[in-house]
Amino acid sequence: MKLAKLPDRTAVKMNVVLAPGLARRLREYADFYAETYGSREEVTELVPFMLEAFLDSDVDFRKGSKRRHDESIGVSS
């Protein structure tokens, strides 16, 4: 079968405590999103996508993740 087994898609709920300044900036970001795309999304809906985009764009993190994965399966670099 060409399609791999689908990953676990069970949502994981996490609670975080934010500094007031960061909470304000996230609300401002949600406002900017609404201005840009013409649809309002709650901060809680945007944050998972923001975090994923941040992690995907972090080159050093990706390199470290690949290295840790290779080491866990016994691949030497």
Side-chain angles (χ1 to χ4, degrees), residues 6-38:
L6 297 178
D8 182 10
R9 294 167 306 227
T10 305
V12 176
K13 184 173 183 168
M14 299 179 86
N15 296 316
V16 296
V17 177
L18 306 174
L22 177 56
R24 183 185 67 254
R25 290 178 67 200
L26 287 171
R27 287 189 297 272
E28 291 169 353
Y29 192 89
D31 292 341
F32 179 62
Y33 180 94
E35 292 169 12
T36 301
Y37 295 111

Side-chain angles (χ1 to χ4, degrees), residues 41-54:
E41 297 288 347
E42 295 297 320
V43 169
T44 55
E45 294 296 318
L46 294 174
V47 166
F49 295 96
M50 295 166 68
L51 290 171
E52 189 166 19
F54 172 81

